Amino acid sequence: MLWILLLSCEESALRDGRQETTALKLSDRETELQASDSSIGDAFGHSVVCVDIDADGYGELVVGASGVDQLYVYPGSASGLDTAAEEILSSSLGSFGGTLASGDVNGDGYPDLAVQDGSNTATVNILHGSASGLDSSSEYSISASDGAALDAFGASLSMAGDLNGDGYADLIVGATRADAPLAESGALYIYLGSSAGLTASSEQKLVPSDSVGTHYFGTDAIIVADQDGDGLDEVAVGAPGDNSFTGSVYLYFGSSTGVSAATESKITVSGTSHFGSTLSAADANGDGYSDLLVGSPRGPVSSSGTGLVYTFYGAATGLDTLSPDSLGEASYRSDFGAKVRGLGDFDGDGYEDAVVQELARYGGGTSMVF
């Protein structure tokens, strides 16, 4: 069962590369959405993305149910989501229901969908969009050339940015538990879009240059709007296990061949815990530059785990990594910042807002809009 406050999606560009729509209209009432074939343990709502698959101007809601390895698609309309027109999709190659991301990887004007394979964590399945919705006959898989089943390949996905400037969306895939160069140091894989879609031959692998242990590099990873003025998007990668779980975020610039490992830079904040567990982007101060939002759900080491979200502001000279703002809640062990998502300008004041998830460590949770 999924409880939603979202009845429709308006098309616009997403700053963190996860989906094609960001302006989500809040309804004036809470809405319960339940799969027509719901069952105990189906994990309906494990992953959610809102995207205009058929390019008709109305966003569809795609819901993953990892317990039954299925996707549920609810079409958008002028009156909101049409829950009666539910479409259920199963994979012909493996399973659906894992992490989701969307972007137009073949340049045909219809957003495509990437889905982590729930039964095989070394595979991500791709479905192309069309005028009639997701084309199940187009399904194909992307796997790491050096991957293993327990690498958590697809733990994070981002697919709505253009890293090499060729006009096609590209896919980045986090493999949090990849063992190269060291046990569970983590890795990020990049696949470039083309007229034929994503190609395995374009695979590029990134690992931290200073990896010395269990980084969990790739726990979250996003494509960020151009920061250095070259017209190419950038990549931010969270590594919450770095430095004995103080955590860090790595930044890489796009290039004509994908992502340039030589441009690696690293963001750390002294005294944090699990910094980099979740990432997003939004223009929080309305200056036209994309800002980076970083969750540190266990908060400062001295705070008993209240959790913080840090905002690093973009500017004409690039991202300011030295003077972040922080936001938190006073609840004891609240894990504030367990998830952070920039979702557009809710109230029309010219500043993009964000949804922050707070998880009580002993059960329950809250989502707040800032």
Side-chain angles (χ1 to χ4, degrees):
M1 183 184 298
L2 177 68
W3 289 91
I4 59 171
L5 292 175
L6 308 176
L7 287 188
S8 62
C9 309
E10 293 179 344
E11 186 174 5
S12 57
L14 185 69
R15 293 182 180 272
D16 67 9
R18 282 199 174 86
Q19 59 201 48
E20 287 292 319
T21 53
T22 135
L24 302 177
K25 289 184 177 179
L26 289 177
S27 73
D28 59 0
R29 67 184 187 278
E30 192 175 65
T31 301
E32 177 187 345
L33 183 62
Q34 186 170 339
S36 60
D37 61 349
S38 64
S39 60
I40 295 174
D42 60 9
F44 181 77
H46 172 83
S47 51
V48 178
V49 68
C50 183
V51 55
D52 186 6
I53 298 167
D54 53 8
D56 65 353
Y58 301 105
E60 281 68 60
L61 182 68
V62 183
V63 181
S66 59
V68 290
D69 298 327
Q70 293 181 154
L71 291 179
Y72 296 78
V73 182
Y74 301 92
S77 70
S79 57
L81 291 175
D82 184 357
T83 56
E86 174 192 81
E87 180 183 10
I88 303 175
L89 298 176
S90 298
S91 174
S92 61
L93 301 176
S95 70
F96 286 154
T99 313
L100 297 171
S102 66
D104 186 5
V105 296
N106 61 354
D108 64 355
Y110 299 101
D112 310 306
L113 194 70
V115 191
Q116 182 190 28
D117 192 315
S119 65
N120 179 354
T121 52
T123 301
V124 170
N125 298 316
I126 312 297
L127 289 169
H128 286 168
S130 71
S132 56
L134 289 172
D135 179 5
S136 58
S137 67
S138 69
E139 184 182 359
Y140 59 97
S141 295
I142 290 287
S143 301
S145 59
D146 61 351
L150 298 180
D151 282 354
F153 183 80
S156 59
L157 299 173
S158 185
M159 196 173 74
D162 184 5
L163 298 171
N164 62 343
D166 64 356
Y168 300 100
D170 305 312
L171 173 67
I172 61 174
V173 183
T176 309
R177 295 181 178 275
D179 287 340
L182 298 168
E184 296 189 343
S185 59
L188 187 79
Y189 295 84
I190 297 100
Y191 301 92
L192 302 179
S194 70
S195 59
L198 298 169
T199 59
S201 61
S202 69
E203 179 186 276
Q204 180 182 0
K205 182 180 179 180
L206 289 178
V207 295
S209 62
D210 62 348
S211 185
V212 293
T214 306
H215 270 51
Y216 294 118
F217 179 81
T219 294
D220 204 359
I222 60 174
I223 299 175
V224 184
D226 180 28
Q227 293 286 326
D228 60 349
D230 64 356
L232 306 177
D233 292 332
E234 331 295 5
V235 170
V237 188
D242 187 24
N243 192 22
S244 301
F245 288 93
T246 296
S248 61
V249 175
Y250 293 80
L251 299 177
Y252 302 89
F253 289 155
S255 73
S256 59
T257 57
V259 175
S260 173
T263 64
E264 179 188 276
S265 61
K266 184 175 179 178
I267 302 174
T268 59
V269 175
S270 178
T272 57
S273 179
H274 294 75
F275 177 80
S277 292
T278 183
L279 308 174
S280 194
D283 184 6
N285 58 356
D287 64 355
Y289 297 100
S290 185
D291 309 315
L292 179 65
L293 312 179
V294 182
S296 179
R298 297 298 172 96
V301 173
S302 61
S303 71
S304 298
T306 56
L308 290 171
V309 173
Y310 293 87
T311 302
F312 298 86
Y313 293 101
T317 54
L319 199 67
D320 178 3
T321 61
L322 300 178
S323 307
D325 283 340
S326 62
L327 176 70
E329 287 288 305
S331 304
Y332 177 69
R333 292 189 175 179
S334 65
D335 283 5
F336 180 83
K339 289 290 183 184
V340 181
R341 294 292 179 263
L343 291 175
D345 184 6
F346 283 128
D347 52 8
D349 63 356
Y351 302 99
E352 293 185 357
D353 308 307
V355 173
V356 179
Q357 184 183 44
E358 177 185 56
L359 293 179
R361 210 167 297 175
Y362 302 110
T366 305
S367 293
M368 290 164 271
V369 178
F370 295 92

